[in-house]
């Protein structure tokens, strides 16, 4: 079993200038938005908004429009947040994999076939997992010192 040598990320065509600019701007905005949405301030603001909405119920006689406001707002925000979160996780995952690949390639005793495992098939990963399981279950080797 050998991991693929070509990166699937590099199989797409190079981005043109405007596409690269849009991707860069989106990446920066997604990072900022993910940080903002994950902050304590965002939680307090969201909680306060829900409380204001709930308290305003009697004022609007708990109308369908009153309910539609919170339903629409939360649905739209959730829909947009999914894309931001996915982008951030993809970027973080890619960076983590590259860091691990660097550590593997710079360690003398490490096996280079472990580099780029995220592009292996499920069967190849299962074979490697079984290999590690067998190693874990073997009795420890005695030192020759």
């Amino acid at each position: 079993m050998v991991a693929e040598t070509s990166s699937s990320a590099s199989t797409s065509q190079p981005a043109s200038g405007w596409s690269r600019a849009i991707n860069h701007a989106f990446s920066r905005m997604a990072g900022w938005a993910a940080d903002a949405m994950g902050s304590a301030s965002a939680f307090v603001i969201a909680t306060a908004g829900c409380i204001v909405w709930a308290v305003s119920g009697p004022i609007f006689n708990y109308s369908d429009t009153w309910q539609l406001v919170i339903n629409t707002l939360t649905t739209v925000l959730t829909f947009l947040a999914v894309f931001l979160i996915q982008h951030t996780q993809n970027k973080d995952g890619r960076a983590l994999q590259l860091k691990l690949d660097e550590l593997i390639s710079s360690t003398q005793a490490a096996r280079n076939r472990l580099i780029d495992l995220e592009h292996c098939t499920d069967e190849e990963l299962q074979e490697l997992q079984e290999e590690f399981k067998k190693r874990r279950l073997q009795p420890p080797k005695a030192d020759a010192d």
Side-chain angles (χ1 to χ4, degrees):
M1 175 195 66
V2 178
E4 295 176 13
T5 55
S6 65
S7 172
S8 65
S10 64
T11 59
S12 61
Q13 296 295 326
S16 63
W18 66 271
S19 178
R20 190 175 302 131
I22 289 172
N23 288 337
H24 181 69
F26 175 74
S27 186
R28 290 184 61 206
M29 186 271 307
W32 175 85
D35 288 343
M37 287 189 309
S39 69
S41 299
F43 178 78
V44 169
I45 290 168
T47 302
C50 290
I51 291 170
V52 167
W53 172 81
V55 169
S56 70
I59 297 169
F60 295 102
N61 295 321
Y62 301 101
S63 68
D64 289 343
T65 304
W66 172 80
Q67 292 178 26
L68 188 61
V69 166
I70 196 72
N71 290 339
T72 303
L73 186 64
T74 56
T75 300
V76 168
L77 289 176
T78 301
F79 177 75
L80 295 174
V82 166
F83 293 100
L84 296 175
I85 292 166
Q86 187 62 55
H87 174 79
T88 303
Q89 285 185 337
N90 288 347
K91 187 175 181 180
D92 289 348
R94 191 174 321 120
L96 181 61
Q97 289 301 320
L98 290 170
K99 289 175 185 180
L100 291 171
D101 289 348
E102 175 65 18
L103 288 173
I104 292 169
S105 67
S106 66
T107 303
Q108 191 76 14
R111 294 177 291 170
N112 284 340
R113 74 180 201 157
L114 297 178
I115 294 175
D116 215 20
L117 282 179
E118 63 273 13
H119 299 292
C120 289
T121 66
D122 288 338
E123 292 78 19
E124 290 171 327
L125 292 174
Q126 183 65 34
E127 287 175 19
L128 192 57
Q129 188 174 14
E130 290 298 322
E131 180 185 330
F132 282 123
K133 183 178 180 181
K134 287 177 187 173
R135 284 186 182 189
R136 186 182 75 231
L137 297 175
Q138 288 177 353
K141 296 178 182 178
D143 289 334
D145 292 331

